[in-house]
Amino acid sequence: MHADGRTDQAARQVFALLRIGFTVAPILFGVSAWLAGIVVNLLTNDPPTYYDIALRDVGLLLGALALTRLAWALSAADRSRASVPVPAPAASATRV
């Protein structure tokens, strides 16, 4: 810790900002876009070194896209099922 503590306070503020950013960005921009950005970064940053990690992240990206498509399909099915009117039960002919 420095004598005045300003460096530690600035470091904590930067950490909190990054933590919020890394939590909110995938929610706002989608996990697929996030993973695509990571893959591009790995392929362009020192090219032959990180190909194995980029390939792993491509697999994660494909999985994320498949789960997104599945969620959309199930959501559409739920919406179409909700728009179908449910018939009212038939009135009983016999009264007690």
Side-chain angles (χ1 to χ4, degrees), residues 8 34 51:
D8 288 340
W34 185 267
Y51 282 172

Side-chain angles (χ1 to χ4, degrees), residues 5-95:
R6 289 183 189 165
T7 305
D8 288 340
Q9 185 179 5
R12 284 192 183 112
Q13 289 174 350
V14 169
F15 176 75
L17 183 65
L18 288 173
R19 188 169 161 191
I20 291 169
F22 282 113
T23 302
V24 173
I27 295 168
L28 294 177
F29 303 118
V31 174
S32 300
W34 185 267
L35 286 169
I38 291 172
V39 169
V40 168
N41 186 21
L42 289 171
L43 292 175
T44 57
N45 187 20
D46 198 15
T49 306
Y50 300 112
Y51 282 172
D52 57 337
I53 301 169
L55 184 61
R56 178 203 62 194
D57 287 350
V58 167
L60 291 172
L61 172 64
L62 292 175
L65 289 172
L67 288 174
T68 301
R69 185 171 168 96
L70 180 63
W72 285 346
L74 291 176
S75 176
D78 286 343
R79 280 193 304 262
S80 67
R81 197 173 325 135
S83 65
V84 174
V86 177
S92 175
T94 59
R95 292 193 147 179

